[in-house]
Amino acid sequence: MDAVRVALLREVLAGTEWPGAARRFAGALRSSVVPHRGGLLLVGTEEYEPWHLAAHLVDESAWSGLPELAPTLVRHRVRPDAPAHLAVGLGRLETAGRGATLLMVTPERPGAGLLQRVHDARRAGATVLSLDGGDEEVRGLAHETLTVAEGAEVDLDTVQHLVSAAAGENSLPAPRGSRRLRDRLSGLADRLTAPPPARW
């Protein structure tokens, strides 16, 4: 989703909790991966693989100049002919320890095997974050959560767009008296998509 669409999405959701909640969660993600440089692992459930979020975080990583935001997508099933970036299986979680950040995207309750691996990674010192559907065990494992419960105004995919866009924003301090190019482009996009002023 490009900057113009994210700006429009935020405008539609203005007055709800979601833009602010996504920014807070993205801030927690940045503050975990950037100082520690231990790598970001992204994992879903057997039924739900967050490859779309992985792609957006790779883009945000490039645009923001924060290579730490580019995740390693951890998959439940890896085909023998899969390219390297799609060939990381659940065994990778067993080596996650201090300095690593593990982001779970779980719209439904994950299997016991994944929960145990995440629990072990947390005990080894990894920071665990979750974008989830409200499962209590998932929330209990995570240091930081953002829950999209059934019946919310938005779905989990929409929240992932908000989080990934916010993760790349304001990552570098702007020089005094000027704004980052990305902020200026976002402001320009807002002005371009606004209706023309009324003429009397």
Side-chain angles (χ1 to χ4, degrees):
M1 186 175 284
D2 59 36
V4 172
R5 289 184 181 149
V6 170
L8 290 173
L9 180 58
R10 286 175 176 157
E11 186 177 320
V12 168
L13 294 172
T16 72
E17 66 179 297
W18 298 107
R23 280 194 168 104
R24 283 190 297 277
F25 187 83
L29 176 62
R30 274 197 318 268
S31 67
S32 177
V33 297
V34 173
H36 299 113
R37 302 186 188 280
L40 173 59
L41 302 174
L42 177 62
V43 66
T45 65
E46 268 192 85
E47 295 77 25
Y48 184 88
E49 189 169 81
W51 61 267
H52 199 74
L53 177 59
H56 282 299
L57 286 171
V58 166
D59 289 344
E60 292 297 334
S61 166
W63 293 330
S64 66
L66 292 173
E68 302 85 2
L69 282 177
T72 298
L73 181 61
V74 177
R75 308 181 73 197
H76 288 258
R77 289 177 296 279
V78 177
R79 293 194 330 255
D81 60 341
H85 70 286
L86 296 176
V88 179
L90 289 176
R92 175 63 181 86
L93 300 181
E94 294 166 13
T95 62
R98 189 164 307 283
T101 300
L102 173 57
L103 173 55
M104 289 191 297
V105 182
T106 57
E108 70 277 331
R109 181 178 179 78
L114 176 60
L115 289 172
Q116 185 59 53
R117 284 182 167 99
V118 172
H119 175 73
D120 292 345
R122 179 178 168 136
R123 286 183 58 203
T127 300
V128 178
L129 296 94
S130 75
L131 284 168
D132 60 72
D135 182 79
E136 288 301 320
E137 194 162 356
V138 169
R139 291 172 56 78
L141 281 174
H143 295 93
E144 187 75 31
T145 64
L146 181 52
T147 297
V148 184
E150 194 172 336
E153 303 99 327
V154 296
D155 60 16
L156 191 61
D157 287 336
T158 301
V159 172
Q160 289 177 70
H161 284 297
L162 292 171
V163 167
S164 61
E169 289 177 342
N170 303 320
S171 56
L172 299 173
R176 228 175 252 252
S178 69
R179 293 168 26 200
R180 291 184 53 226
L181 174 62
R182 187 170 175 89
D183 295 333
R184 293 194 307 270
L185 288 174
S186 180
L188 175 62
D190 289 344
R191 288 194 300 280
L192 289 174
T193 57
R199 296 189 179 206
W200 301 102

